[in-house]
Structures are given as C-alpha cells and as structure tokens.
Amino acid sequence: MLTTTVQGRTWNFSHAIGRNAAAGNGFTQPMSIVSFKDDSIYVLSRGGDGAGGVVQPNKRIGKVTIDEEFIGDFGHGDFTWPSSLAVDSRSHVYCTDEHTNTVIEYDPEGKKMGEWGDPGNKEGNLNMPSGIAFDSSDNLFVVDSGNNRIQKFTREGEFILTWGEAGSSEGQFSDPWGITVDQNSNVYVADWGNNRVQKFTPEGEFLLSYGVTFPEDMRLNHPSDVAVDSEGDVYVVDWGNKRVQIFDPEGEILTSLYGDAYEFSQWAKEVVESNPDALKAYRRVEDKSSLATFERPTSITIDSQDRIIVSESTRGRLQVYAKEKDYLDPQYNL
C-alpha cells in the first residue's frame, strides 16, 4: 500500500533512491544508511565479499541527497567486511569492520582520520562489531556482535562501559546487529538471533522488548536494524519477513511496511531509457508488483523531518516514506 493510516498516523510512500531490480544503477549491497542534519544520506555499500578476505573496490561510503543527487563517495580500499555507519556532532563518519574488528573514522570530506579497536573478548575488545550509534554527548555505542554484548566508548575509542552476554533472557543477546539511541538517550538493539528488539537505559538497564508476544504472523524474524522517530514510534527492519514493523512507544504493534517502489527511481529510469536491453527485460516481467516490495532490507534511518528511509541489500536501493502526524481522510469519493 502506498499510504498506510493507523491510530492517527499516516505513512506515505515517497520515492526510491538507487535502482530497481530490472535496472543496473545504484548501490552495491547497501548494508547501512544514516541520515544527517543537511538532509543528506550516507550509504555503506558492502559490495561482493572476496574470497580470503580480499578487499573489493566497490566497498565504499556514498553520500546522496534525499532528492537522489549523488554528492560523492569515499573509503575505497579501506574495508574488508564493513557493517554499519554513524555520524557524530562534528559531521565525522564512523564505520565498523567485522573482519578487522575496528572502527574507522572519516572527516566530513571523506578523509580517513584513523581507526581503533583491538580483537578479543575483554572489556573494550571487539569481535565482529556491527551496529553503531552516537548519543547526544558523542559517546559511541557499538554492537559487539561476536561477544553478544553492547559496549560504550568515547568517539576516540576510550572504553566506558559494557553490558550483555550470550543467551535469550532479558539483557542477553544472540548475534545482535543494529542499534539506535532515542531522544532520551535510551538504547534499542536488534537482537537478531532472539527475534526481538530490546530497549535499555544508557547504562544498560533493561526496559522493554519488542516483537515477542504477538501472534506468529506478526512476530519478528531476525531483525537487522531499528530506528525511533520524533514521536517515539519504533521502526524495526524485520529482515527475515522482508518488511518494516512499526511499534508505538509502549511496544504495541501499529502496522507494517512491505515496500512500494512501483515506479523507477531517477537513476534507474536513466539506465532503462539509455539501455534497450534493460527496457526489454523490464517489459518481460509480468507481475511488476513484486519489484516494488522489500528484498532483504538491512538498515533504516529517520531524518530530521521524520522521513523513514530503508535500504535493500539485494535490490541495491533505498525506499523513502513520509510520516504525516495529523492526517485526515479526504472527504470525497473517487
């Protein structure tokens, strides 16, 4: 559905950025996205994973506007298995690398400023770091996935605290992935292996779980990322179910988004119009509705205008939704 209305909230599909499945332009396996205060979006393209940890040239961080203008990219050759992005108050970009167990820092122009991280399981060590998110004080929360815990550092990499261990009880994790911090500095973690999202205080005290007490068709299936809008609604990338589940602040489910990119993005349209073979391939697809839906969604970010942006690793694109907070049904019939 292009428009979804539930409990006074409405989500309208806006547009796609990148490419459609039938076109050949866009990102290469976008694994992580993060919005920034100038309404631009950083996109982490993971590319193909080379044998033996070989660094592939299409692993990079790109920057685009919400209107699909390409600004530039950086990080070529710096990664092996890049996983997640975060931006601090200085506009510096941080990226985790699961293979090297490091966090890499770039300045606003994309110049590499350095990296930090030591492999292991002691306090401050990292083992397959994935999701990262800054709080309002520029402290960095890192999902230490291989150690099934969350760690908090300064932006320079100085250890502050940690919590969590392997398991399925409150405060425990199984291969956690994405993370976000809300306006009250509470921390939300996509607990991938336990099919839930957990909410904590900034000090790691458990508060709430999302997605664990619903009927089977509404439960989460290996969530990969999480975001919170200005009204406290919680968005979970339900990776295994190819959808985004939306919850209210108390953990009650509101609705789901399944993807609505029926029209080509600007980039994809340019490719199709200049490539007769691509146009023929698109015309051969009988049921084009399947091209609109999410295919392996991985990451989500919410910008300053409460626009929801979801990345699809398989289809190499982003889908953008706009939230209307005071929506009224039109008083006419079509």
Side-chain angles (χ1 to χ4, degrees), residues 232-278:
D233 289 337
V234 179
Y235 301 72
V236 180
V237 179
D238 194 1
W239 181 84
N241 287 318
K242 302 181 182 181
R243 64 187 176 187
V244 172
Q245 294 272 59
I246 307 177
F247 301 86
D248 70 14
E250 287 71 42
E252 295 299 318
I253 193 164
L254 293 171
T255 190
S256 300
L257 304 175
Y258 291 88
D260 292 282
Y262 293 95
E263 301 293 332
F264 281 126
S265 67
Q266 292 180 23
W267 296 357
K269 186 177 180 181
E270 291 171 0
V271 171
V272 170
E273 289 180 345
S274 63
N275 188 337
D277 290 335

Side-chain angles (χ1 to χ4, degrees), residues 271-293:
V271 171
V272 170
E273 289 180 345
S274 63
N275 188 337
D277 290 335
L279 181 58
K280 291 176 183 178
Y282 179 70
R283 287 174 174 172
R284 285 197 298 268
V285 179
E286 294 182 3
D287 182 10
K288 295 180 175 59
S289 63
S290 63
L291 301 179
T293 57

Side-chain angles (χ1 to χ4, degrees), residues 143-145 147-150 163-177 188-194 196-200 204:
V143 178
D144 190 9
S145 185
N147 287 319
N148 290 296
R149 65 185 179 185
I150 308 302
W163 76 84
E165 60 184 3
S168 58
S169 299
E170 294 179 355
Q172 296 180 329
F173 302 103
S174 175
D175 297 322
W177 189 342
Y188 302 71
V189 181
D191 191 3
W192 192 82
N194 285 321
R196 65 185 179 185
V197 166
Q198 297 193 72
K199 178 181 178 181
F200 301 91

Side-chain angles (χ1 to χ4, degrees), residues 146-329:
N147 287 319
N148 290 296
R149 65 185 179 185
I150 308 302
Q151 299 210 71
K152 183 178 180 181
F153 299 88
T154 67
R155 65 188 179 194
E156 293 79 21
E158 297 177 6
F159 172 79
I160 298 176
L161 61 84
T162 184
W163 76 84
E165 60 184 3
S168 58
S169 299
E170 294 179 355
Q172 296 180 329
F173 302 103
S174 175
D175 297 322
W177 189 342
I179 189 170
T180 196
V181 180
D182 69 16
Q183 295 178 336
N184 297 316
S185 297
N186 294 313
V187 180
Y188 302 71
V189 181
D191 191 3
W192 192 82
N194 285 321
N195 301 311
R196 65 185 179 185
V197 166
Q198 297 193 72
K199 178 181 178 181
F200 301 91
T201 68
E203 292 74 36
E205 179 185 351
F206 174 83
L207 295 174
L208 187 65
S209 280
Y210 296 80
V212 295
T213 60
F214 301 114
E216 187 172 350
D217 64 332
M218 299 171 65
R219 293 177 189 171
L220 298 173
N221 181 6
H222 294 87
S224 58
D225 202 10
V226 57
V228 182
D229 69 20
S230 64
E231 296 183 315
D233 289 337
V234 179
Y235 301 72
V236 180
V237 179
D238 194 1
W239 181 84
N241 287 318
K242 302 181 182 181
R243 64 187 176 187
V244 172
Q245 294 272 59
I246 307 177
F247 301 86
D248 70 14
E250 287 71 42
E252 295 299 318
I253 193 164
L254 293 171
T255 190
S256 300
L257 304 175
Y258 291 88
D260 292 282
Y262 293 95
E263 301 293 332
F264 281 126
S265 67
Q266 292 180 23
W267 296 357
K269 186 177 180 181
E270 291 171 0
V271 171
V272 170
E273 289 180 345
S274 63
N275 188 337
D277 290 335
L279 181 58
K280 291 176 183 178
Y282 179 70
R283 287 174 174 172
R284 285 197 298 268
V285 179
E286 294 182 3
D287 182 10
K288 295 180 175 59
S289 63
S290 63
L291 301 179
T293 57
F294 294 132
E295 185 65 31
R296 288 292 183 248
T298 54
S299 181
I300 188 168
T301 188
I302 299 176
D303 71 8
S304 59
Q305 298 183 39
D306 271 346
R307 288 177 293 205
I308 298 93
I309 307 159
V310 182
S311 70
E312 299 176 73
S313 61
T314 300
R315 289 184 168 150
R317 68 184 176 191
L318 316 180
Q319 294 201 42
V320 182
Y321 288 81
K323 182 182 183 183
E324 295 184 30
K325 301 170 185 176
D326 300 307
Y327 179 82
L328 295 176
D329 286 325

Side-chain angles (χ1 to χ4, degrees), residues 63-189:
K63 188 177 183 181
V64 298
T65 68
I66 195 72
D67 297 321
E68 209 169 350
E69 177 187 355
F70 176 74
I71 298 175
D73 57 20
F74 53 92
H76 295 268
D78 290 346
F79 316 116
T80 305
W81 295 339
S83 183
S84 185
L85 298 177
V87 180
D88 71 8
S89 63
R90 305 167 300 166
S91 306
H92 283 217
V93 183
Y94 291 70
C95 179
T96 51
D97 190 315
E98 294 180 75
H99 181 77
T100 60
N101 297 304
T102 57
V103 178
I104 305 171
E105 177 188 354
Y106 297 89
D107 71 8
E109 285 71 47
K111 178 183 177 181
K112 184 177 178 180
M113 303 299 293
E115 61 184 83
W116 49 265
D118 295 306
N121 56 16
K122 297 180 180 179
E123 288 187 349
N125 291 160
L126 297 174
N127 182 9
M128 299 183 67
S130 53
I132 50 176
F134 279 102
D135 65 13
S136 58
S137 300
D138 272 346
N139 295 312
L140 184 64
F141 290 91
V142 179
V143 178
D144 190 9
S145 185
N147 287 319
N148 290 296
R149 65 185 179 185
I150 308 302
Q151 299 210 71
K152 183 178 180 181
F153 299 88
T154 67
R155 65 188 179 194
E156 293 79 21
E158 297 177 6
F159 172 79
I160 298 176
L161 61 84
T162 184
W163 76 84
E165 60 184 3
S168 58
S169 299
E170 294 179 355
Q172 296 180 329
F173 302 103
S174 175
D175 297 322
W177 189 342
I179 189 170
T180 196
V181 180
D182 69 16
Q183 295 178 336
N184 297 316
S185 297
N186 294 313
V187 180
Y188 302 71
V189 181

